[in-house]
């Protein structure tokens, strides 16, 4: 039987946004629609974009549990995993909740996403829990192509997909990714996690990325995953694809990256 929710237990959802005014409002609606009885606070961090700030100010009244903060950049900062790590860590430090979840501005959740993660974490006594993922194309249709989206060539994408089907991460004809902690080359996506805030204070997002990381497209969620594995942190998995991941972010495509941003993305921080 699940343990009852403690009176002080609550969740902060952290969303970073810079150039997706339509998509971030979809993410905000997704957080607002969560059915858990555990209090949820949504923290939206605007990454140095006054236009997004103006847009969200117009709809802020529709999201009473959402806090919108503008975060300016230093002159040397560029888009990429280093900047994302710093913003995520800022969100964790700003929060006062027992749990932290992250929802990227171009993704969304099923209404019971947080509830299923909370129940799973409580049942297993874990400080970290994650969901599976359903892949969608940029228009919202299920992505069922027999190719791994995070590859540099069609041949590599097809070979990787066949390998992941054999290992049970993917299923032929399905758009679901089934994450496992023992499959190190498919780290859990940031938006799939529910994490104890103190755990994230102890294991913050790494904001240093080398040229090798840039070559291999190692992102901040990858590094968090590897840190949790290295620590031997007990992790619970719901086994449900309650995260809807829209393809087209900067880790798998430049299609949805604003033209002015394409040359400004800096993966390596050294």
């Amino acid at each position: 039987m699940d343990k009852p929710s403690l009176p002080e237990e609550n969740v902060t959802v952290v969303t970073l946004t810079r150039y997706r005014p339509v998509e971030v409002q979809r993410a905000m609606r997704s957080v607002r629609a969560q059915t858990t009885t555990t209090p949820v606070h949504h923290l939206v961090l605007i990454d140095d974009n006054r236009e997004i700030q103006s847009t969200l100010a117009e709809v802020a009244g529709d999201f009473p549990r959402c806090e919108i903060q503008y975060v300016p950049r230093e002159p040397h900062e560029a888009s990429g995993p280093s900047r994302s790590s710093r913003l995520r860590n800022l969100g964790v430090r700003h929060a006062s909740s027992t749990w932290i979840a992250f929802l990227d501005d171009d993704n969304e959740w099923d209404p019971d996403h947080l509830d299923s993660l909370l129940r799973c974490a409580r049942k297993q006594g874990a400080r970290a829990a994650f969901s599976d993922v359903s892949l969608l194309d940029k228009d919202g249709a299920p992505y069922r192509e027999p190719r791994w989206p995070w590859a540099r060539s069609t041949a590599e994408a097809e070979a990787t997909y066949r390998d992941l089907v054999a290992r049970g991460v993917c299923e032929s004809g399905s758009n679901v990714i089934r994450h496992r902690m023992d499959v190190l080359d498919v780290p859990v996506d940031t938006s799939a996690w529910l994490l104890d805030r103190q755990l994230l204070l102890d294991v913050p997002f790494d904001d240093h990325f080398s040229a090798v990381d840039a070559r291999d497209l190692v992102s901040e969620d990858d590094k968090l995953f590897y840190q949790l594995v290295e620590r031997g942190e007990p992790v619970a998995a719901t086994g449900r694809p309650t995260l809807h991941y829209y393809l087209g972010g900067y880790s798998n495509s430049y299609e949805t990256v604003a033209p002015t941003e394409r040359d400004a993305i800096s993966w390596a921080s050294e």
Side-chain angles (χ1 to χ4, degrees), residues 164-179:
L164 293 177
V165 168
R167 291 194 280 164
V169 175
C170 299
E171 180 181 347
S172 183
S174 171
N175 72 323
V176 173
I177 296 176
R178 303 210 176 275
H179 284 304

Side-chain angles (χ1 to χ4, degrees), residues 8-14 38-43 91-101 118 194-201:
E8 69 274 13
E9 191 176 39
N10 48 26
V11 181
T12 296
V13 178
V14 178
T38 301
V40 176
H41 178 70
H42 193 187
L43 175 62
V92 173
R93 293 193 302 270
H94 178 81
S96 58
S97 56
T98 49
W99 295 99
I100 301 287
L118 286 162
L194 176 74
L195 298 150
D196 182 279
R197 178 174 177 266
Q198 186 58 53
L199 175 61
L200 282 171
L201 291 173

Side-chain angles (χ1 to χ4, degrees), residues 14-150:
V14 178
T15 294
L16 316 181
T17 192
R18 177 164 171 79
Y19 51 80
R20 297 181 176 124
V22 174
E23 290 86 347
V24 71
Q25 290 179 71
R26 180 182 65 197
M28 291 164 67
R29 290 192 296 272
S30 180
V31 174
R32 185 180 60 187
Q34 292 301 296
T35 57
T36 181
T37 57
T38 301
V40 176
H41 178 70
H42 193 187
L43 175 62
V44 177
L45 298 178
I46 300 172
D47 185 6
D48 200 30
N49 187 318
R50 293 295 186 187
E51 184 177 350
I52 295 286
Q53 183 183 32
S54 297
T55 298
L56 296 188
E58 294 176 0
V59 301
D62 296 332
F63 301 93
R65 294 186 296 172
C66 182
E67 176 185 356
I68 301 169
Q69 284 203 9
Y70 179 85
V71 186
R73 291 187 176 192
E74 297 295 330
H76 66 278
E77 290 187 296
S79 295
S82 293
R83 173 66 175 171
S84 295
S85 286
R86 289 191 286 272
L87 288 173
R88 294 189 195 282
N89 290 333
L90 174 65
V92 173
R93 293 193 302 270
H94 178 81
S96 58
S97 56
T98 49
W99 295 99
I100 301 287
F102 299 94
L103 180 58
D104 288 348
D105 63 355
D106 56 341
N107 295 331
E108 64 181 334
W109 292 329
D110 280 344
D112 65 342
H113 174 80
L114 289 177
D115 190 60
S116 61
L117 286 167
L118 286 162
R119 289 176 178 273
C120 184
R122 292 179 198 130
K123 185 175 183 179
Q124 298 190 35
R127 296 196 297 167
F130 62 83
S131 72
D132 286 340
V133 179
S134 63
L135 288 182
L136 307 174
D137 66 25
K138 63 180 181 179
D139 297 318
Y143 177 85
R144 296 193 176 97
E145 299 297 324
R147 290 179 288 277
W148 187 243
W150 299 273

